[in-house]
Every structure is written in C-alpha cells, then in structure tokens.
Amino acid sequence: MGDHIKIRKATGTWVVRAGGAVLGETTNALELSEGDMPAVIYFPRADLGMAFLEASETRSSCPFKGEATYYSIHTKSVVIKDAGWSYEDPKELVSEIKDYIAFYPQKAAVEQL
C-alpha cells in the first residue's frame, strides 16, 4: 500500500529561500521519496522562520500521508501563496514528517549547501 514511500535523513545542510529572504537552514532535514516522483526535502519547523509563513485555507488529501495544510510565504517584497505544505497529523506510515514543512521548487529555492 504505502511501501512506495521512503523517508530518510537528508545529508548535509539545507537552506530554503524565497522573495529575497532566507526562510530557514537546517542539518535536520528529511528526504521523502514517493514512487517515481522526485524526492522532496522537508524542513523541521524549529529551523524555519515561522514568522514568514502563514497557514492558508487550502487543504489536500493523500491516501498515504493524510491531509496537507498549505502555507503562504510573506516577505517584505512579496506574498507567495501556498508555497509550502505540511501534514499536521500524518498517517502512521509517515509519522516522521509531523512538524516538518516542504516547499514547491517553483515557489521557493531549496538547496543543499
């Protein structure tokens, strides 16, 4: 069923930037691989500037991960709607991603330093 999802600690240091601001930097990122889709880096909330992020009303559902809450990025220069997502109460299979946020690559730059 959900055995096509793999979660592992992402090696090295990761940074996320958007709208001219550094939103976070971490050595505690997780990498989630799902089937043939590109791997996604999840950042722990503790390593993000949560003042830049505001939960939106957008929600989606995944049969394997649960309901996703979306976040918009607010910087001095721009608001980037629904740029990231989080599983506030993930299914047991992916419980490691609780309290982590991932970002769309076309809305925020996620890079390994």
Side-chain angles (χ1 to χ4, degrees), residues 4-16:
H4 69 290
I5 297 176
K6 306 274 188 264
I7 300 172
R8 64 193 142 282
K9 182 171 176 9
T11 59
T13 301
W14 291 84
V15 65
V16 58

Side-chain angles (χ1 to χ4, degrees), residues 24-105:
E25 184 177 313
T26 189
T27 57
N28 296 309
L30 295 176
E31 182 181 59
L32 185 145
S33 302
E34 187 171 359
D36 294 339
M37 297 183 349
V40 174
I41 299 297
Y42 280 77
F43 287 80
R45 289 174 191 247
D47 293 338
L48 291 170
M50 292 302 293
F52 289 110
L53 301 172
E54 180 179 26
S56 77
E57 293 182 13
T58 305
R59 301 287 184 272
S60 67
S61 184
C62 170
F64 306 109
K65 296 184 290 267
E67 183 179 86
T69 298
Y70 288 77
Y71 287 83
S72 296
I73 298 170
H74 292 259
T75 69
K76 287 182 181 180
S77 59
V78 69
V79 174
I80 306 168
K81 187 167 172 43
D82 296 338
W85 70 92
S86 177
Y87 292 91
E88 312 291 315
D89 187 23
K91 295 197 176 200
E92 188 175 332
L93 173 71
V94 294
S95 61
E96 301 101 310
I97 63 172
K98 181 175 176 55
D99 298 324
Y100 281 71
I101 298 177
F103 297 90
Y104 288 106

